């Protein structure tokens, strides 16, 4: 029997035989906008951001801060790393700090990711507001990225800047460019002078002005800065330990022209800086003739691969076959070499204003033409676009262990850029964005399709280095527009089979995995289900969601500790200063939303409300800033933690996703059925929906969550549809709906959608009442550690204490089970309360107050309605107390129902030997005498 073909090869053959997808491109909305086709597998459809306008409220206030940031930020700063990488002028722009620059963490190996986030943010800002300033910034970025890609496809070309005497060659930091000189440049001379004008722009040590050598054993170099920051010349035939050297006495100034010269004659070597001899060695035994013919003769590059490339400009470089005199060196200070007493170098002479392109003519008469090159080779392959060379991608293909100082998630960075380009295309219909995005996917397919399955599985399984974010989702989205079979085949090349198969079998293998490396890949797998019909993708995604929520979820909706997952159902045991990475919440919202399009299980939108109204809102500081988006990385949940809104200088993954979140708050307020027969109201948020297919508007007027309900008004015309109103799972009683003042029959069930079906007319008004109550949610592994919720709002204590606050709540509990009567409202501050002198406030407020997201529940005595029984509150071995079990029966219709519950519970505990009969009688008696809030 012939061996079976690998699944990937079979899939590729199938895809290549497929016609273009049934989903077609359609123009819509503003004249300059495109629409992403909705998959036929979705039973619900989202609305575009432009169709939903936010009204005044907490979302609009937070969003305005981000809109202002995006409006004012100079995008040339973001483009700096792309232009530098391509050897283009950066126009003096300074790249952001942190991860988005050459000096960031891990050598800036994630640079470019933030530019993608920013493109997405601008695109969403434009879709939401129609403000032209965002389009202008997008078009500037697309133009620059198009130019950068084109430059990367060419051999490097001289970048001319003002020189010492004319124009000079600029090596932009991050361009990895150097000048390659012919092997005969030193001419076997026994005496020599080397002279150069340089203008360094960075203070990294060991940048070479020149380095002539074969390897790290035999070489001769001049460094602009040695380990002490001063110029150094050295020559050796036996490695660093046997160098014969000359060291300067002061650092070269940055951004100023300096003249360096070295002379060797006999046993004497002299180093000159700006015409002055600063070092001399009279016992040298090596001259260039001792080195022989050398393979690597470079300006700006070191034979030591770990040394940085010279950043700055070169003007004249000359080599003479003799030692110039001090007077001749002096003459070079104010004159071109050709006009000095030294004349041009007779071994080599390059004046960088005398040539263009990527080659430099030699004026010595020896015709030793020099060539501008990149350390990583090149040109790049077609379609490649990044802010660093292809080397990270190439390295990953053979890498077996993580090292983010060498390879830091190149496909993750590619995803952010690709997503930003696709969003820019959808927002502006600018063909450059689609061309760049398609080119990136073509380039990725050309690399990855040539690799064996085993190599791909190894790559994607490497922590951090193999992280690829939500790239699969974006590739499938692009495929829905291009119809290119290679694009869908590319998406399949990111299958992490071990994880997919485990999740499809509902086998939890998440312990120890990097959380945000894996959450976003499941949105991609859902989209692969949409495109291919392979059910294992959708099954795996649903099961994966259930492994995280609630089993690894903190109360605010976040997950992970120090970016990783721990064992299932361990919550209290994972609380730390590095809990709940903000990216994780962002991606869990995306996954929940996408799963809801397939399966209208209210649990997905319950989670969406939790994560959005708490962690996502609370991750954005309530403060304006022109330079930083002010978004948290981790949400520390330890007692007294103060949120850090500018981690790692403000350009991390979480600040990127935070910019996106803050410009799409309205994306899930409303969904519609695919046949337009129903409108889902998922979130109670002040907003106006324009539902063009029905010819109506739907306006919510509310101050939710400061208001316990919402008013929905139909406008524009008449239409028949079902209005599906989400009944939150925490809304266990009192949810009511009226239409034009008349109550709607039916019993809304918590954790469901309540349907109102009718033919709607303009002016129809729906009032939704959603009574809040204060409740607690217990850590799965420690019931005494609890977090407080008032309706959808997580309330956190504000206290500098670094120990868990001790909180008792049952004494004044209402018959409804509402614990709020134990707290005192703060006048003039909605949703603020005090308890035992501590203020409790909404988590969504982006302040720098020390907070307590979890408190220690302490109910030492049994009391009802502020009447104390004098009996100690006993507990079971799992931590459940008598009062816990009594109040678990809430709501109670009246006092009698509560007393009955007390009596039955007491009887059970007495019979189990957990409470004495006498104490039990006291408890029941106290419950009967007390008065209660309804």
């Amino acid at each position: 029997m012939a061996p079976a073909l690998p699944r990937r090869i079979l899939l590729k053959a199938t895809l290549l035989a497929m016609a273009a997808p049934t989903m077609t491109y359609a123009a819509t909305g503003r004249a300059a906008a495109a629409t992403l086709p909705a998959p036929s597998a979705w039973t619900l459809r989202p609305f575009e951001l432009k169709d939903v306008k936010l009204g005044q409220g907490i979302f609009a206030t937070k969003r305005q801060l981000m809109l202002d940031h995006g409006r004012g930020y100079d995008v040339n700063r973001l483009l700096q790393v792309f232009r530098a990488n391509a050897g283009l002028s950066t126009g003096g722009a300074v790249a952001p700090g942190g991860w988005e620059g050459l000096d960031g963490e891990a050598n800036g190996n994630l640079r470019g990711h933030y530019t993608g986030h920013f493109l997405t943010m601008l695109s969403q800002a434009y879709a939401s507001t129609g403000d032209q300033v965002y389009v202008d910034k997008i078009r500037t970025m697309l133009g620059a990225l198009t130019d950068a890609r084109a430059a990367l496809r060419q051999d490097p070309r001289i970048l001319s800047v003002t020189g010492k005497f004319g124009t000079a060659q600029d090596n932009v930091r991050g361009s990895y460019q150097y000048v390659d000189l012919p092997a005969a440049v030193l001419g076997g001379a026994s005496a020599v002078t080397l002279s150069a004008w340089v203008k360094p722009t960075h203070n990294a040590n060991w940048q070479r002005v020149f380095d002539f050598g074969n390897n790290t054993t035999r070489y001769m170099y001049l460094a602009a800065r040695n380990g002490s920051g001063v110029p150094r010349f050295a020559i050796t035939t036996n490695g660093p330990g046997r160098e014969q050297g000359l060291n300067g006495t002061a650092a070269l100034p940055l951004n100023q022209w300096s003249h360096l010269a070295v002379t060797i004659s006999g046993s004497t070597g002299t180093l000159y800086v700006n015409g002055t001899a600063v070092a001399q060695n009279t016992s040298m035994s090596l001259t260039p003739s001792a080195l022989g013919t050398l393979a690597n003769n470079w300006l700006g590059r070191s034979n030591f691969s770990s040394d940085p490339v010279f950043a700055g400009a070169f003007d004249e470089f000359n080599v003479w076959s003799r030692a110039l005199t001090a007077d001749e060196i002096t003459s070079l200070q104010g004159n071109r070499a050709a006009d000095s007493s030294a004349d041009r170098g007779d071994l080599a002479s390059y004046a960088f204003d005398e040539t263009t392109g990527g080659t430099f003519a030699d004026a010595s008469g020896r015709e030793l033409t020099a060539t501008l090159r990149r350390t990583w080779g090149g040109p790049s392959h077609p379609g490649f676009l990044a802010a660093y060379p292809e080397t990270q991608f190439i390295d990953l293909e053979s890498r077996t262990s993580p090292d983010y100082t060498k390879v830091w998630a190149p496909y993750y960075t590619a995803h952010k850029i690709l997503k930003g380009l696709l969003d820019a295309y959808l927002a502006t219909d600018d063909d450059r964005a689609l061309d760049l995005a398609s080119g990136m996917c073509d380039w990725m397919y050309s690399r990855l399709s040539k690799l064996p399955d085993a190599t791909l599985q190894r790559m994607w399984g490497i922590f951090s280095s193999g992280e690829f974010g939500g790239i699969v989702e974006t590739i499938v989205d692009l495929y829905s527009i291009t119809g290119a079979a290679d694009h869908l085949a590319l998406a399949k090349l990111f299958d992490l089979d071990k994880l997919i198969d485990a999740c499809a079998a509902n086998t939890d293998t998440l312990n120890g995995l990097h959380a945000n490396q894996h959450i976003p890949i499941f949105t991609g797998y859902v989209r692969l289900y949409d495109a291919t019909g392979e059910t294992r993708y959708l099954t795996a995604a649903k099961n994966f969601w259930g492994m995280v929520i609630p089993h690894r979820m903190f109360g605010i909706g976040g997950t992970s500790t120090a970016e990783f997952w721990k064992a299932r159902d361990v919550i209290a045991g994972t609380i730390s200063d590095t809990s709940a990475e903000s990216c994780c919440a962002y991606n869990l919202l995306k996954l929940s939303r996408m799963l809801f399009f397939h399966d209208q299980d209210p649990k997905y939108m319950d989670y969406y409300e939790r994560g959005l109204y708490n962690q996502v809102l609370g991750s954005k500081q309530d403060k304006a800033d022109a330079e930083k988006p002010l978004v948290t990385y981790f949400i520390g949940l330890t007692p007294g933690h103060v949120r850090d809104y500018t981690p790692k200088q403000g350009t991390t993954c979480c600040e990127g996703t935070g910019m996106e979140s803050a410009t799409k708050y309205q994306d899930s307020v409303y969904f519609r059925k695919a046949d337009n027969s129903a409108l889902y109201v998922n979130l109670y948020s002040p907003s106006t929906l324009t539902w063009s297919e029905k010819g109506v508007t739907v306006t919510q007027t509310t101050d939710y969550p400061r208001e316990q309900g919402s008013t929905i008004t139909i406008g524009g015309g008449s239409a028949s549809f079902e209005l599906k109103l989400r009944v939150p799972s925490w809304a266990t009683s009192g949810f009511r709906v009226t239409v034009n003042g008349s109550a709607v029959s039916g019993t809304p069930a918590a954790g469901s959608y309540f349907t109102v079906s009718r033919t709607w007319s303009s002016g129809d008004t729906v009032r939704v009442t959603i009574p809040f109550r204060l409740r607690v949610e217990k850590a799965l592994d420690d019931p005494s550690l609890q977090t407080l919720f008032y309706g959808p709002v997580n309330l956190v204590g504000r206290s500098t204490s670094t120990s868990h606050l001790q909180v008792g709540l049952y004494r004044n509990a209402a018959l409804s089970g509402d614990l709020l009567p134990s707290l005192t409202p703060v006048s003039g501050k909605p949703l603020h309360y005090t308890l035992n002198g501590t203020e409790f406030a909404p988590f969504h407020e982006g302040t720098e107050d020390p907070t307590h997201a979890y408190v220690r529940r302490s109910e030492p005595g049994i009391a009802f309605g502020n009447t104390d029984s004098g009996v100690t509150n006993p507990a079971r071995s799992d931590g459940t107390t008598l009062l816990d079990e009594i109040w678990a029966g809430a709501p109670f219709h009246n006092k009698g129902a509560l007393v009955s519950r007390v009596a039955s519970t007491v009887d059970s505990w007495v019979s189990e030997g957990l409470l004495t009969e006498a104490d039990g009688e006291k408890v029941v008696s106290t419950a009967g005498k007390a008065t209660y809030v309804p």
Side-chain angles (χ1 to χ4, degrees):
M1 179 182 293
L5 290 171
R7 179 172 58 84
R8 179 159 63 88
I9 295 177
L10 289 172
L11 173 73
K12 180 181 177 184
T14 302
L15 293 176
L16 290 173
M18 289 172 57
T22 56
M23 297 175 288
T24 57
Y25 165 80
T28 187
R30 299 186 182 99
T35 301
L36 192 67
S40 58
W42 290 4
T43 52
L44 294 185
R45 300 284 194 269
F47 291 95
E48 294 183 58
L49 291 179
K50 70 180 181 62
D51 295 330
V52 184
K53 303 297 183 184
L54 282 181
Q56 290 303 307
I58 57 175
F59 288 109
T61 300
K62 293 263 191 182
R63 183 182 70 170
Q64 191 60 49
L65 293 169
M66 197 62 76
L67 290 175
D68 291 343
H69 173 70
R71 180 180 290 106
Y73 196 85
D74 181 7
V75 295
N76 287 296
R77 296 187 60 191
L78 301 172
L79 297 167
Q80 194 268 356
V81 289
F82 285 89
R83 287 169 166 153
N85 185 50
L88 299 173
S89 173
T90 62
V94 178
W99 288 1
E100 196 63 21
L102 291 167
D103 295 314
E105 187 173 352
N107 306 313
N109 278 343
L110 213 67
R111 60 189 181 276
H113 83 112
Y114 199 73
T115 300
H117 285 298
F118 209 89
L119 266 174
T120 292
M121 182 267 283
L122 292 175
S123 301
Q124 293 175 170
Y126 174 62
S128 296
T129 68
D131 193 334
Q132 184 65 28
V133 67
Y134 302 117
V135 175
D136 294 341
K137 289 178 179 289
I138 291 169
R139 296 198 190 283
T140 295
M141 297 176 77
L142 293 178
L145 294 175
T146 299
D147 290 345
R149 185 182 69 172
L152 288 169
R153 286 288 297 136
Q154 302 168 352
D155 289 324
R157 301 174 66 83
I158 184 171
L159 180 60
S160 293
V161 294
T162 301
K164 176 65 178 177
F165 299 111
T167 58
Q169 153 63 12
D170 191 21
N171 281 344
V172 176
R173 185 163 181 258
S175 67
Y176 303 96
Q177 293 182 169
Y178 67 99
V179 179
D180 188 18
L181 306 179
V185 65
L186 295 179
S190 58
V192 72
T193 298
L194 303 104
S195 163
W197 281 99
V198 295
K199 184 169 73 171
T201 57
H202 188 66
N203 61 0
N205 292 340
W206 298 115
Q207 297 178 81
R208 301 294 201 262
V209 174
F210 63 74
D211 194 337
F212 305 123
N214 284 337
N215 43 43
T216 57
T217 300
R218 179 181 292 267
Y219 54 80
M220 179 178 76
Y221 70 75
L222 175 61
R225 296 171 61 92
N226 65 3
S228 301
V230 299
R232 173 175 172 79
F233 169 82
I235 184 171
T236 181
T237 56
N238 288 290
R242 301 294 297 275
E243 288 183 356
Q244 298 177 16
L246 299 161
N247 291 320
T249 56
L252 299 182
L254 297 182
N255 302 306
Q256 294 182 29
W257 286 104
S258 295
H259 182 258
L260 298 173
V262 175
T263 64
I264 300 176
S265 179
S267 62
T268 300
T270 307
L271 172 64
Y272 294 86
V273 177
N274 293 323
T276 300
V278 296
Q280 191 171 75
N281 185 340
T282 59
S283 58
M284 296 181 68
S285 60
L286 296 175
T287 66
S289 62
L291 298 177
T293 302
L294 300 171
N296 306 323
N297 299 278
W298 297 328
L299 302 182
R301 181 181 180 182
S302 170
N303 275 285
F304 289 79
S305 60
S306 60
D307 288 340
V309 177
F310 179 81
F314 280 93
D315 208 331
E316 291 191 329
F317 179 75
N318 285 272
V319 185
W320 290 266
S321 60
R322 62 186 178 86
L324 297 185
T325 67
D327 287 343
E328 288 175 316
I329 297 293
T330 299
S331 177
L332 290 171
Q333 305 310 297
N335 302 281
R336 294 176 181 268
D339 300 326
S340 73
S341 60
D343 203 357
R344 294 181 184 271
D346 62 321
L347 292 180
S349 180
Y350 303 98
F352 297 104
D353 61 349
E354 294 180 352
T355 187
T356 59
T359 58
F360 305 99
D362 171 29
S364 71
R366 300 178 69 209
E367 298 183 355
L368 300 180
T369 301
T371 306
L372 188 63
R373 303 193 190 280
R374 299 184 178 103
T375 60
W376 50 270
S380 66
H381 293 92
F384 174 74
L385 176 63
Y388 45 70
E390 285 184 82
T391 47
Q392 279 205 54
F393 298 91
I394 296 169
D395 186 312
L396 178 61
E397 293 169 8
S398 60
R399 179 163 292 279
T400 58
S401 60
D403 182 351
Y404 81 145
T405 66
K406 293 183 175 63
V407 179
W408 190 6
Y411 284 96
Y412 172 94
T413 307
H415 165 241
K416 299 309 173 189
I417 299 168
L418 182 66
K419 181 67 163 63
L421 292 170
L422 181 58
D423 288 337
Y425 172 68
L426 295 172
T428 67
D429 204 22
D430 191 319
D431 287 338
R432 293 176 299 176
L434 185 60
D435 179 61
L436 289 167
S438 297
M440 287 185 71
C441 287
D442 294 341
W443 166 78
M444 283 187 277
Y445 183 73
S446 72
R447 291 207 70 86
L448 297 178
S449 62
K450 294 179 174 61
L451 300 177
D453 281 329
T455 299
L456 293 171
Q457 296 301 316
R458 171 180 50 75
M459 285 166 57
W460 308 143
I462 301 175
F463 159 61
S464 188
S465 295
E467 183 175 357
F468 54 80
I471 199 167
V472 177
E473 175 193 1
T474 304
I475 293 170
V476 177
D477 285 346
L478 181 68
Y479 162 71
S480 73
I481 294 173
T482 66
D486 280 356
H487 291 169
L488 184 54
L490 170 64
K492 293 280 292 181
L493 298 178
F494 291 91
D495 279 8
L496 187 54
D497 289 329
K498 182 178 180 181
L499 180 65
I500 297 172
D501 293 343
C503 289
N506 208 20
T507 301
D508 190 332
T509 61
L510 303 189
N511 186 17
L513 291 184
H514 182 248
N516 199 52
Q517 182 166 346
H518 295 88
I519 298 170
I521 70 175
F522 280 95
T523 59
Y525 293 154
V526 175
R527 292 293 284 117
L528 271 175
Y529 164 76
D530 297 336
T532 68
E534 290 190 40
T535 57
R536 76 180 190 127
Y537 290 123
L538 184 60
T539 301
K542 287 183 175 181
N543 290 341
F544 167 80
W545 189 93
M547 295 170 191
V548 178
I549 302 168
H551 299 289
R552 292 176 172 88
M553 181 191 75
F554 299 110
I556 58 173
T559 188
S560 80
T561 294
E563 300 191 5
F564 286 80
W565 280 312
K566 306 300 182 185
R568 186 182 179 105
D569 294 331
V570 177
I571 302 299
T574 57
I575 288 175
S576 75
D577 286 339
T578 59
S579 299
E581 182 187 356
S582 295
C583 273
C584 293
Y586 165 89
N587 282 308
L588 281 172
L589 291 186
K590 288 192 69 175
L591 179 59
S592 300
R593 181 178 190 261
M594 193 165 290
L595 289 173
F596 193 71
F597 292 150
H598 294 85
D599 176 6
Q600 284 75 66
D601 189 328
K603 69 183 181 182
Y604 295 124
M605 283 298 111
D606 268 341
Y607 172 77
Y608 200 97
E609 179 184 66
R610 176 193 294 268
L612 180 64
Y613 277 83
N614 294 291
Q615 176 159 2
V616 170
L617 270 181
S619 67
K620 173 72 185 84
Q621 189 173 16
D622 299 330
K623 179 181 175 181
D625 194 292
E627 289 296 308
K628 302 289 188 283
L630 300 182
V631 178
T632 59
Y633 193 128
F634 296 119
I635 296 285
L637 299 178
T638 50
H641 182 82
V642 176
R643 292 176 215 169
D644 179 4
Y645 297 97
T646 53
K648 301 176 185 289
Q649 300 184 60
T651 55
T652 67
C653 52
C654 293
E655 278 120 330
T657 54
M659 291 191 298
E660 295 182 31
S661 290
T663 48
K664 66 178 183 71
Y665 287 138
Q666 75 270 39
D667 76 339
S668 297
V669 176
Y670 308 100
F671 297 148
R672 60 184 176 87
K673 288 196 72 171
D675 62 2
N676 287 308
S677 64
L679 178 69
Y680 282 71
V681 180
N682 305 307
L683 302 173
Y684 298 101
S685 176
S687 55
T688 297
L689 164 68
T690 299
W691 191 2
S692 58
E693 291 87 351
K694 286 291 187 180
V696 299
T697 60
V698 179
T699 300
Q700 280 197 71
T701 305
T702 180
D703 196 23
Y704 189 94
R706 291 183 286 245
E707 177 184 349
Q708 298 183 23
S710 182
T711 300
I712 301 172
T713 304
I714 308 298
S718 176
S720 296
F721 59 88
E722 293 180 337
L723 185 65
K724 291 185 171 291
L725 304 166
R726 189 174 66 86
V727 186
S729 59
W730 48 262
T732 54
S733 63
F735 187 100
R736 293 186 296 109
V737 178
T738 64
V739 176
N740 299 329
S742 298
V744 179
S745 61
T747 304
S752 70
Y753 277 79
F754 184 71
T755 302
V756 182
S757 182
R758 59 181 280 149
T759 298
W760 302 92
S761 299
S762 183
D764 281 346
T765 300
V766 180
R767 176 62 191 172
V768 182
T769 301
I770 318 172
F772 293 3
R773 66 183 182 90
L774 184 69
R775 68 189 190 281
V776 298
E777 290 187 1
K778 304 173 182 179
L780 299 176
D781 52 333
D782 183 354
S784 71
L785 200 64
Q786 303 176 359
T787 187
L788 277 59
F789 276 86
Y790 187 49
V793 178
N794 183 226
L795 295 179
V796 295
R798 289 180 174 172
S799 169
T800 57
S801 173
T802 55
S803 299
H804 285 297
L805 301 175
Q806 302 287 312
V807 172
L809 297 170
Y810 285 139
R811 178 179 290 270
N812 292 309
L815 292 174
S816 65
D818 190 354
L819 302 173
L820 190 64
S822 294
L823 278 64
T824 302
V826 177
S827 178
K829 297 176 70 175
L831 300 177
H832 285 243
Y833 304 89
T834 59
L835 176 65
N836 299 331
T838 297
E839 183 177 24
F840 282 78
F843 184 94
H844 67 242
E845 293 186 350
T847 72
E848 293 178 294
D849 295 299
T851 61
H852 291 247
Y854 282 86
V855 297
R856 182 70 67 187
R857 191 66 177 272
S858 177
E859 305 280 357
I862 298 176
F864 296 96
N866 216 24
T867 302
D868 199 328
S869 69
V871 176
T872 299
N873 185 24
R876 297 186 186 278
S877 59
D878 66 356
T880 302
T881 69
L882 176 66
L883 283 174
D884 289 336
E885 197 161 307
I886 290 171
W887 285 103
F892 302 107
H893 297 300
N894 51 41
K895 176 179 176 178
L898 170 60
V899 174
S900 176
R901 172 76 175 191
V902 171
S904 63
T905 305
V906 163
D907 286 346
S908 175
W909 283 57
V910 169
S911 66
E912 294 178 47
L914 300 173
L915 185 70
T916 67
E917 189 171 343
D919 282 347
E921 291 175 354
K922 291 179 184 179
V923 171
V924 174
S925 175
T926 301
K929 293 176 182 178
T931 56
Y932 303 92
V933 175

